[in-house]
Structures are given as C-alpha cells and as structure tokens.
Amino acid sequence: MKIRIGTRKSKLALVQTDLVRRRIQAAFPEAEIEIVEMSTKGDEILDKSLTSFGGKGVFTRELEEALLKEEVDLAVHSAKDMPMEFPEGLYIGAVLERADVHDVLVTTTGVKARELAPGSIVGTSSLRRELQIKELNPTVRIRMLRGNVQTRIRKLKEGQYDAILLAAAGLERLGLDKEEGIRLEYLDTDSFLPAAGQGILAVEAKKGRFTEVLKSIHCEEAALELEAERSFLAAIGGSCNAPAAGLCVPAVQSLKMKVLYAPEGTTELRKAEAIVDLTEAGSQEEKLSKARMLGENLASEVKRGKVWLLGAGPGDMGLLTQKALWCIRHADVLVYDNLASGAILNEAREDAELIYAGKRADKHHLRQWETNALLVEKALEGKNVARVKGGDPFIFGRGGEEAQELLKAGVEFEIIPGVSSSYAAPAYAGIPVTHRDFASSFHVITGHESADKTGLALDYATLAIEEGTLVFLMGLKNLPHIAEELITHGKDPKTPAAVVQAGTTARQQVVTGVLESIAETAKTAGIQTPAITVVGDVVTLQRQLSWLGGKPLFGKRVLLTGTKPMCEKQREVLAADGAEAIPFSLIYTKKLSTPATEQAFAEIKNYSWVVLTSSNGVQFFLDELKERRLDIRSLAGLKFAVIGAGTKAALEAAGIYADFVPGRYSSRDLAAEWIPGLTAADKVLLLRAEEASSELTETLEAAGVPYTDTALYHTARDGRKAEELNRILPEMDYITFASASAVKAFAAMAENPGDMTAKAVCIGPVTEKAAVQAGIPVYASAVVYTAEGIRDVLRKDNLKGKAN
C-alpha cells in the first residue's frame, strides 16, 4: 500500500507530518509512505496580515486541490489553521492526540507578560492574541509578525521585538522550547485562551479513501474537543478574520468549554463558559452531537447583540445627542416610533434593518409585548439594536418595561437619555418651566389617563395645590377632563395655561389662555397631537420670550430625497432659512469594481481629461487612487472637467482644482460648452454613475474625441424606507428631487405619487422631465441647479403665499 501525504514545506509542517507518518507506519508496517512537500499562498506572502489576503484558507487551498485531484492521498494540517468549510468531497478523516494547548510569551529576558514595560513591542499576526495580550498589559505595542517559528525567534533575538507570542505545541514539536537565549512564559488558559483547535493535528482526506488508515490513528477524545471548538467558530461565522478563541477540556463524563469573541469592529472581549454532561451519550456520534451543541450554545451567548434604548429628542434633529447618533449609525437594526424625526433613518447604515413600532392615535402598529419580543429576538440573533423613541426612553416611553424584558432574557442593554419634550417644547414656545419669580419646580404628568380609570388615577388634589409648573404629556384628548379635575380640586380657573403642538418642529403651534377654557381654545385653533399642556404662571412669559420663527421658510417641512451628501447640502441651506428640512435619502451610491475600472486607473496617465459629474464620483475616484497608492502628483498631466459646484468643491477639498465647469450644471451644458474645445488628440476618461445619460458620449463620438466611459458607481434604491415615506409624506409641505434616480425611486415607493399634497420641486429640467414621465405633478424647478436654487424656489413660493 502506497500513501502520499501532502504537507507545507516549513520545518514545523514537516515535523508534524512525520508524526502522522510514524503513527501510520506503526499501524501498517508494510505501507510505503511518501511525503509530498508543497508551497501555499500563506507561506509565500509574509509581508501582509492573513486577513488581508484570504484568512485561514491560504494555508490549505493548494493541499486541498491536490487531494481532489488525487495527487496526494492525505494532507496534514494544524487544526487551528483549517478554514470552517471544506471543498466538496473532503473532510477531516482523523485527528491525533492533543499536544500542549497553551500560548507562550517568548522573550530573551524572562520578563512576564504583565510586567512588560510600557511601550514594549510584542510581535503577533493574530488579532485574538493581540486583544488578549493588551488585556493583560494595556501599555504594550503590537507589531505584525509573520514567518516560520525559527524566523520569528530570530527576529526576537535581533531585537526587533521585546516579546513574541507563539503556540507551545509548535515550539515543543520543533524542540525549541529549550532553545538557548530565549525564555518562555506559558500563559494560563484562564486569562489567555488559545485558538480553537490549537495543539491538534488534523488529517484531511477525500471521502471514501484510506478509511482504515485514518481510523487507526484517530483520537476520539481530541475529536470531541475539536468538534466543540469548530462548532463554536462556525456558529459565530468565525475564521482567521474573527477574534475568537475556544478551549474544550474533557472531564469525568463531561466536557467543559471556555470561549471568547470580539464582535467585528470592536475590541470588546466577550467571554463565556459551560459544561455538558455526557453520561447519557453512549456512542461517539452522540458525544459528538453534545460537543457540537456545547459550541453552538456558547456562540449564541457571546454573539448576543446589545440593545440601546435611546431617546431621539422631541423632533428637532439638532437636539439628538451625539451618543444617540453614534448608536443609530452603528446599529444593525433600528426599531423606531412615529415621534422620532424621519431624518433619523437617514443616519442608519445602508444595510441596517428598519422596523416601525410606533403608534398613531389609537392605531397600534406593534403592541408593546410584540416590541419587547422583537428587541429580544434581534439581540439573540447577534444584532445590535437601536430602539429609537421620541423624547426620553424613561419618560412615559415604556423604556423601563423594555429594559426589564431584556434583563429577563439575558440581553445586554444601555439607556441613552434624550432631550424630553416636557421642557424642550415649552422652551421652543418661549415658556420657561421654572423661573425664580413664578415657579421653583415643575412636574411632568401623563395626560393619557381616562376619566373612568381607577386604582392608579392621578392625585389631582395634590397636583392642584403644587406651586410649580404642571406639564401634561400626550393629554390633548383628555384636556377637558384634566382641567375640570384640577379646578374641582382647588386650582384657580384663571391659572395661565398653554398647549404646544409638535414642539421644536415646523408644525409647532402655541395657544395660550387660562385653565378653565384652554381645552376650547386649543380645539378652536385646530391644535393636533402630539401636544403638551403647560399649566402655571410661567405661561405669562410666552409672548415676551417667544423666539422661534421669523426666517423666510419657518414652519415649512421639506422632504429631501437625494443621496446623503446631496441631502445634507440641501438641509444646511434650507435650515438656515428656517425650514424643517428632513433628509430622507431614497437612493444611495455603491462603488463598482470591474475590469474596466481596473484598466482605466492602470492607464490613467494616458488620458488628457477626467470627467467627474457628482461629489459621489469624486469620493469614489479618490478612494480608487488611495487603494492603488496613487497620490495627486501622479495626476500632473491630467485636466479635470466637472459638473456642479458641489463636485467642484469636493475635488478642491482633495487639492485638485477643476479646469472646466459649465455655466449650468448638467451633462447637456458640459457637452455644449466643453467638447467643442477638444480635439482628436485628446483622450477623455468619464468616471460616473452606471445610470448616467448618453449625452456626453454621443457628443464626444460626434466630435471624434477618443473617450472611455467607466461606471465608477451604481445608484441603488433604499426600499427599506417605503413604509415611513408613505407615513410622513402627508405631513410635508414640499418634497425635493435632485436627480432622475431619486424621482424613479420615489415613484416606485410612494403609494399615490400623483395625489400627494406636498409640492414637488426639482433641481433642474432633466429631473423635472423624469418626474413628469413618472406621473409626479411638478410644482416648480430651480433656475440654478443647486441647493440654493431650490431654496430660492421655496422662498418665492412663500412670499407669494404671504402676499395672498
């Protein structure tokens, strides 16, 4: 019987392969065994981290290809280096008894890990090791270390590192644990967990081949340990890219396991441990099943997501706290209610899940118990959830109830307080809830109580005699009852009172009066929910201190539909005029990487002109330059033509000044003004959206100018926002469109685009044409194709409205 064993060429790999060879030879003395040395990508690329060019598979791919072609019969790997998935037809046929599992700190001085001096350089290419050594000693510095074990030790001795981290098993198999000139500290597995599979040799084979040989060298105990550890990795989606560790240790009729995991993008080490009883597991298959379950359960525990119960403030996005904004931008899931500004959704990641859980009047979209269950469900899936509530989550926001449910389910949560409408809405109305001359306290009360409620009914007798300001939240419907009860229990009917509708937003309205008639006053004025009621002498200051308003577009709500950069530019311009501009991007851009892009940038120096048509295009252009390590010095021979002031400004921010900008910002104008000045000696590179119009290319062709049209990015629709779009659209005064792509996205998401009450304003004739074709009634288009041009349209319309 001839057996060919494939292996990497490193000395450690050869030593490990020889261990397997000797085990096989002992069981089959007559076997003729050939060692086939092979080079892998992981052995050849030593100047980059593994995560940058493929992860664990870089050590196994070539060996696996040889197995599939039957150029070798078996392949020997360190189990910790094996990827989680095998090519079709391959599997781990056998594992050997486990060697020492510890990681080792190697130094030339014998200094311990915790005692390394601040700034000491520790070498490792493993993020798992990096995070754990930083946990033991936060002041050390990490430097990437690649190469075989001997090379790493040599670099240590040469003084390139103060310490390096290695696996004890590899050192011992090479006989280097007694190497002269180095000292070892075996790191306790309680504080420094090894990689899953560390110390175990795995023999990979093609299914159905050499089964008796594999069975003769197989260790069932090590197989149980490896099954638990690899199941843990598989359940967290682990690979060399995931900072994860796991160690399963057999005990009496049981398996004990410890794991750690750092969620992507964090340095937070989550740890867990558990034990599984094997008493009732008779066969090896049953034990393997138990081991698998152990790893999967621990993965569920450490991968569990977190819930941020956060307050989004009373409506003005400017009142959203920085911490709340960070959570929204980093969440995997947003569960939001209708009191939060729609602009909040624009801050979510483009891959985040958006779920509406709010209420409108008496119509519940999700019942509270359903919301509670949803938060738990998403967190247990390993997702970080932002539960976005209007105002503050703990002020009549049921945040306490949700926190209790999360606690019960073992889900980590954090409370992010928000600016409460209880004082923000009065402040925007010019009413200070406390004032030295009028009130030294204020009291926040729910207005949701019904007249026939018993048991937890409000103590109106106490409220009526309070000297401070009374603020009733969500009580517009019950305002007659609230006023009656306060008066019945002794409150002066002539006490000043105010109702503030939609405080801090463009819908804000304020009515003032006295307690006995404030309900009728609010009704006559058409005040609607959400609204708060303020009762107390501080209300007399409202006329004197009223400050909100006065700007040309105050009171107008404008929905902005373009990409995030375009929306932000419009928001700045419109907000400066007093409008409540709500960024609500219905489209976003995605970078494209194609062979055409690769070729265009490889040959960029051969062009005379580069054309960029949007600020998004500029950013993707700069990203491509950075990826290829090209700086602006390499573009010295290029000229740039751009469309739009925003594109021009984005390019200038990178230190590149446009050579041509058309007088009007469209492809048609660029073609008409710029192309006549070109000749056949020019060579043009168009870097723009995949959906770009053909006006430029047709004109270049007609002029005989050589060009390359490269799709640098693609514009995609954000269909997640369709539900919220239709919910908030009736509340808008205007909706703006800055591109045909935004128009098409809106037409696809809006339920009745032709019947909307919001006035549609387009940035220019191209966008207007797309809107008309989509059946959207266009109210007006900008004369100048910019955010300022849109603002001027709105200014004119409001002046006309005031004149009428």
Side-chain angles (χ1 to χ4, degrees):
M1 176 172 57
K2 183 173 181 179
I3 304 173
R4 295 161 300 172
I5 306 179
T7 179
R8 293 160 56 195
K9 292 181 178 181
S10 73
K11 187 174 180 181
L12 178 57
L14 291 170
V15 168
Q16 292 177 160
T17 303
D18 192 57
L19 289 173
V20 174
R21 180 194 64 78
R22 282 186 280 155
R23 291 291 301 276
I24 295 174
Q25 203 81 70
F28 297 90
E30 76 287 355
E32 178 186 343
I33 302 176
E34 177 188 356
I35 306 299
V36 181
E37 298 180 20
M38 302 180 67
S39 181
T40 69
K41 190 175 181 181
D43 297 311
E44 294 167 358
I45 302 177
L46 300 177
D47 60 343
K48 297 180 181 179
S49 65
L50 296 178
T51 56
S52 68
F53 66 98
K56 294 185 177 184
V58 299
F59 289 125
T60 62
R61 194 164 296 123
E62 289 80 2
L63 291 167
E64 289 175 332
E65 288 173 0
L67 281 171
L68 289 169
K69 294 175 183 177
E70 297 186 8
E71 295 171 351
V72 297
D73 304 306
L74 306 174
V76 178
H77 309 285
S78 291
K80 69 184 180 68
D81 293 332
M82 300 190 73
M84 297 312 302
E85 295 182 0
F86 297 102
E88 183 70 28
L90 300 184
Y91 76 119
I92 295 178
V95 296
L96 272 60
E97 292 82 356
R98 192 168 212 161
D100 196 317
V101 300
H102 292 85
D103 277 311
V104 178
L105 184 81
V106 187
T107 65
T108 58
T109 62
V111 63
K112 303 297 184 186
R114 295 182 186 275
E115 297 165 3
L116 283 165
S120 295
I121 298 173
V122 179
T124 180
S125 59
S126 162
L127 184 54
R128 168 190 63 84
R129 285 173 173 159
E130 176 181 338
L131 294 178
Q132 290 192 98
I133 196 68
K134 292 284 283 185
E135 190 174 50
L136 287 178
N137 189 332
T139 63
V140 300
R141 290 187 295 161
I142 306 299
R143 182 182 296 168
M144 190 181 76
L145 177 63
R146 294 285 315 283
N148 60 38
V149 177
Q150 296 92 324
T151 299
R152 298 184 188 198
I153 291 176
R154 175 179 56 78
K155 290 180 178 180
L156 171 70
K157 289 182 176 180
E158 290 173 351
Q160 296 183 39
Y161 301 88
D162 297 301
I164 62 176
L165 290 162
L166 298 173
L171 282 170
E172 292 173 0
R173 285 169 181 156
L174 287 168
L176 294 176
D177 52 320
K178 302 295 192 294
E179 169 87 358
E180 187 176 344
I182 62 171
R183 305 280 293 278
L184 310 181
E185 179 190 4
Y186 284 72
L187 299 170
D188 191 333
T189 56
D190 286 335
S191 58
F192 208 101
L193 275 177
Q198 187 157 304
I200 296 176
L201 293 182
V203 184
E204 190 174 10
K206 196 171 183 180
K207 291 179 180 177
R209 303 190 74 224
F210 294 93
T211 53
E212 289 301 314
V213 171
L214 294 167
K215 184 177 179 181
S216 71
I217 63 172
H218 184 60
C219 174
E220 291 190 343
E221 185 176 272
L224 290 177
E225 298 169 29
L226 187 60
E227 184 70 20
E229 293 166 19
R230 284 178 62 83
S231 294
F232 166 71
L233 282 188
I236 63 168
S239 66
C240 197
N241 304 334
L247 178 61
C248 181
V249 180
V252 179
Q253 287 296 304
S254 64
L255 293 173
K256 295 171 64 176
M257 188 171 178
K258 294 181 180 180
V259 300
L260 69 80
Y261 168 66
E264 185 177 357
T266 76
T267 57
E268 171 199 2
L269 287 178
R270 299 180 180 178
K271 301 178 182 179
E273 57 183 282
I275 187 168
V276 63
D277 186 9
L278 299 180
T279 306
E280 297 181 3
S283 67
Q284 178 70 359
E285 280 304 314
E286 290 174 327
K287 291 177 182 178
L288 285 169
S289 177
K290 292 270 190 179
R292 197 174 304 120
M293 189 182 304
L294 175 62
E296 291 171 352
N297 289 343
L298 284 170
S300 297
E301 190 167 338
V302 296
K303 198 180 176 184
R304 192 168 293 171
K306 182 176 186 176
V307 177
W308 295 297
L309 299 170
L310 65 89
D316 183 343
M317 273 289 287
L319 299 180
L320 187 70
T321 67
Q322 287 187 346
K323 189 165 187 178
L325 185 58
W326 185 93
C327 294
I328 289 166
R329 287 174 173 172
H330 287 80
D332 302 302
V333 182
L334 260 69
V335 180
Y336 64 98
D337 64 35
N338 64 290
L339 296 178
S341 169
I344 285 173
L345 301 190
N346 232 46
E347 299 296 338
R349 296 198 326 246
E350 286 162 359
D351 62 343
E353 186 178 2
L354 308 179
I355 303 173
Y356 177 67
K359 313 175 190 69
R360 287 190 182 272
D362 294 328
K363 297 177 182 178
H364 290 244
H365 196 82
L366 279 182
R367 288 170 287 184
Q368 187 59 48
W369 69 266
E370 292 174 312
T371 300
N372 296 345
L374 177 67
L375 298 178
V376 171
E377 175 190 338
K378 294 298 180 182
L380 293 181
E381 289 176 3
K383 297 176 180 176
N384 289 327
V385 183
R387 171 65 174 114
V388 185
K389 295 169 170 289
D392 182 280
F394 274 12
I395 299 180
F396 305 128
R398 294 194 169 180
E401 298 171 40
E402 292 173 357
Q404 285 178 305
E405 290 300 315
L406 294 169
L407 182 67
K408 195 183 302 181
V411 173
E412 183 182 1
F413 63 87
E414 189 173 343
I415 310 300
I416 316 297
V419 174
S420 172
S421 61
S422 63
Y423 51 83
Y428 269 53
I431 302 172
V433 291
T434 64
H435 188 286
R436 187 166 58 177
D437 296 334
F438 298 102
S440 58
S441 66
F442 74 100
H443 311 272
V444 183
I445 308 121
T446 177
H448 259 330
E449 293 231 316
S450 61
D452 59 354
K453 184 175 180 181
T454 59
L456 294 177
L458 292 174
D459 184 354
Y460 284 100
T462 299
L463 293 175
I465 61 173
E466 287 289 354
E467 62 79 31
T469 305
L470 304 180
V471 181
F472 291 87
L473 302 187
M474 308 170 293
L476 185 61
K477 180 179 178 181
N478 289 333
L479 187 51
H481 170 70
I482 291 169
E484 180 184 354
E485 287 294 322
L486 288 172
I487 293 169
T488 299
H489 288 86
K491 198 74 172 176
D492 185 348
K494 302 300 182 183
T495 302
V499 179
V500 184
Q501 169 191 289
T504 80
T505 75
R507 290 183 58 230
Q508 177 173 305
Q509 288 191 51
V510 184
V511 295
T512 60
V514 293
L515 183 60
E516 64 181 352
S517 58
I518 190 62
E520 187 60 31
T521 302
K523 182 178 179 181
T524 301
I527 297 295
Q528 299 177 343
T529 59
I532 72 166
T533 301
V534 184
V535 179
D537 291 338
V538 292
V539 172
T540 60
L541 297 171
Q542 193 274 330
R543 290 179 182 273
Q544 179 184 344
L545 300 182
S546 178
W547 61 273
L548 189 65
K551 293 185 178 180
L553 297 179
F554 172 71
K556 300 302 179 182
R557 303 191 86 196
V558 188
L559 193 68
L560 316 176
T561 61
T563 60
K564 286 185 180 181
M566 177 57 77
C567 282
E568 182 54 28
K569 176 61 178 175
Q570 288 186 49
R571 188 201 64 77
E572 289 177 3
V573 171
L574 296 176
D577 252 31
E580 183 183 356
I582 302 172
F584 201 78
S585 299
L586 300 181
I587 55 174
Y588 61 93
T589 52
K590 295 177 68 175
K591 181 180 173 184
L592 292 175
S593 294
T594 64
T597 308
E598 292 286 337
Q599 184 174 352
F601 277 89
E603 301 173 355
I604 196 166
K605 295 177 184 178
N606 298 332
Y607 292 92
S608 55
W609 283 91
V610 170
V611 178
L612 297 163
T613 59
S614 70
S615 56
N616 292 314
V618 171
Q619 188 56 58
F620 290 130
F621 168 69
L622 296 173
D623 289 344
E624 290 285 352
L625 292 180
K626 187 174 182 181
E627 285 183 19
R628 290 164 174 76
R629 299 186 66 81
L630 295 171
D631 61 31
I632 58 175
R633 291 173 295 182
S634 65
L635 309 179
L638 283 174
K639 292 181 180 179
F640 288 82
V642 303
I643 298 176
T647 311
K648 176 175 176 285
L651 198 60
E652 288 181 359
I656 303 174
Y657 293 85
D659 298 278
F660 193 94
V661 185
R664 292 166 70 90
Y665 302 148
S666 72
S667 294
R668 178 177 300 173
D669 292 302
L670 180 62
E673 297 177 28
W674 168 63
I675 292 177
L678 302 180
T679 70
D682 284 301
K683 190 175 181 183
V684 176
L685 175 60
L686 301 172
L687 297 174
R688 52 191 191 148
E690 189 177 41
E691 307 80 15
S693 72
S694 60
E695 288 173 324
L696 280 174
T697 53
E698 289 173 356
T699 310
L700 285 167
E701 282 183 15
V705 178
Y707 72 90
T708 300
D709 189 14
T710 301
L712 195 57
Y713 60 94
H714 166 67
T715 303
R717 296 175 187 171
D718 194 349
R720 304 170 304 166
K721 295 177 180 173
E723 183 180 5
E724 184 68 6
L725 171 67
N726 288 291
R727 186 166 19 268
I728 65 176
L729 190 56
E731 301 172 0
M732 298 298 126
D733 298 296
Y734 299 94
I735 179 169
T736 69
F737 298 107
S739 68
S741 296
V743 166
K744 292 172 184 175
F746 175 80
M749 295 184 209
E751 291 174 355
N752 297 295
D755 297 333
M756 65 181 182
T757 56
K759 297 176 180 178
V761 178
C762 296
I763 202 167
V766 175
T767 305
E768 179 179 349
K769 181 180 178 182
V772 172
Q773 290 175 343
I776 299 170
V778 177
Y779 181 75
S781 288
V783 177
V784 179
Y785 312 154
T786 62
E788 289 80 4
I790 288 177
R791 175 204 60 199
D792 292 342
V793 170
L794 270 58
R795 277 183 178 179
K796 181 179 179 180
D797 189 49
N798 278 275
L799 287 172
K800 183 171 63 176
K802 290 175 182 177
N804 293 336

